Amino acid sequence: MITNKYWVFKSAISKEKCEEIIELGSKNLENAIVGGEAEKHNNPDKVPSNTLTKQEIKEKNLSTYVRDSQVSWMDEKWLYELISPFVQKANDSAGWKFDIVHHETPQFTKYSGNGFYGWHTDGYGDHNAVFKPYVRGLTNIKMRKDGGVPHEYTQNHKHFYLVRKLSMTVNLTDPTTYDGGDLMFDFGSNDDGKITAKEGREQGSVIIFPSFLYHCISPVTRGVRYSLVNWTLGRPFK
């Protein structure tokens, strides 16, 4: 049982730096591969899962998509230098003290027009969740529809056999310019239940939490919400 479910650095990144990330990330969106089997654009005949519980989906036998957004990837060195201290400090201050060794590539995300990300976890952290190595020409697996490797595989040798342990999201957008788009957590019926991380809505706020926690982004009903997301990896929990 963890005492602190998430850790917030309120308005920790300047408005100017947020706008710089938005400008660069938006340019990358133009050349981004349209990917994600859970995305709306790859599931034209399915219904959104944004207002449904897992139980409702199961009982009604619905075919759903989990996410409606645009994403791109940002591999600039200065971004790693920007986010790494927050992850390290949160890991220590929150008392998690997870064994972490490497960051994945930061993901830039745009939500608009009721865009959302339904309930999910980023990773469970056990030996069953490790990234398996993919070696082009040698690993015999079925590729995703967008041409990418399945999510449980990686081409980055630094990520082989590691798991996601800490997740991070940075709200890049002035909260007065959009409605919805809340980061929410579900800690289960026997705990605190569903809560909204309201203290993380300020522009430049950084929220870090264990990757095994259920969370979602509620639909953006007005304006546009931009975020930067990253996952920190380590060896599986024992």
Side-chain angles (χ1 to χ4, degrees):
M1 179 67 66
I2 57 175
T3 301
N4 294 296
K5 302 297 195 302
Y6 60 91
W7 200 261
V8 181
F9 299 94
K10 189 174 180 179
S11 303
I13 297 176
S14 70
K15 176 181 178 180
E16 292 73 22
K17 185 60 67 175
C18 288
E19 291 177 348
E20 181 181 352
I21 296 172
I22 291 173
E23 181 178 3
L24 179 59
S26 297
K27 290 180 180 178
N28 291 343
L29 283 177
E30 299 174 4
N31 300 315
I33 297 175
V34 179
E37 294 180 9
E39 293 275 6
K40 176 182 179 179
H41 47 251
N42 286 328
N43 296 280
D45 300 322
K46 296 184 179 181
V47 298
S49 66
N50 57 336
T51 60
L52 301 168
T53 65
K54 286 192 171 184
Q55 186 63 28
E56 288 173 327
I57 294 172
K58 182 178 179 181
E59 290 176 351
K60 297 178 181 179
N61 194 28
L62 296 173
S63 182
T64 65
Y65 59 87
V66 180
R67 187 173 183 174
D68 182 5
S69 63
Q70 294 176 274
V71 303
S72 63
W73 304 94
M74 304 176 67
D75 201 24
E76 283 71 19
K77 180 181 178 182
W78 61 267
L79 266 181
Y80 294 100
E81 295 172 347
L82 176 68
I83 64 178
S84 183
F86 292 114
V87 176
Q88 296 292 341
K89 187 172 182 180
N91 189 36
D92 184 59
S93 299
W96 302 320
K97 300 187 184 302
F98 294 162
D99 176 17
I100 51 178
V101 296
H102 206 272
H103 294 286
E104 286 190 56
T105 305
Q107 177 185 277
F108 174 79
T109 309
K110 175 183 178 181
Y111 295 98
S112 61
N114 289 309
F116 74 98
Y117 198 162
W119 291 106
H120 67 287
T121 66
D122 293 333
Y124 291 104
D126 62 14
H127 286 274
N128 295 319
V130 297
F131 282 113
K132 303 173 185 176
Y134 172 78
V135 181
R136 189 177 300 277
L138 295 178
T139 308
N140 185 20
I141 56 174
K142 183 179 180 180
M143 306 300 277
R144 299 202 314 256
K145 293 179 181 178
D146 62 6
V149 300
H151 294 295
E152 65 269 26
Y153 285 84
T154 180
Q155 300 181 71
N156 189 332
H157 68 92
K158 293 181 180 179
H159 299 171
F160 289 176
Y161 304 112
L162 299 182
V163 296
R164 289 177 173 176
K165 286 194 166 180
L166 290 175
S167 298
M168 180 206 74
T169 182
V170 182
N171 182 29
L172 300 170
T173 311
D174 179 346
T176 66
T177 64
Y178 69 96
D179 293 327
D182 288 310
L183 172 62
M184 302 176 65
F185 293 98
D186 186 349
F187 301 135
S189 58
N190 295 324
D191 206 318
D192 301 318
K194 297 181 178 65
I195 68 167
T196 301
K198 296 180 180 179
E199 60 268 56
R201 278 187 67 90
E202 295 300 318
Q203 186 175 27
S205 292
V206 180
I207 302 181
I208 297 167
F209 54 93
S211 298
F212 52 74
L213 293 180
Y214 272 93
H215 59 285
C216 74
I217 299 295
S218 65
V220 173
T221 57
R222 177 184 67 90
V224 180
R225 176 185 185 267
Y226 296 103
S227 67
L228 185 73
V229 177
N230 188 245
W231 304 274
T232 307
L233 309 177
R235 287 170 284 277
F237 291 113
K238 297 181 179 179

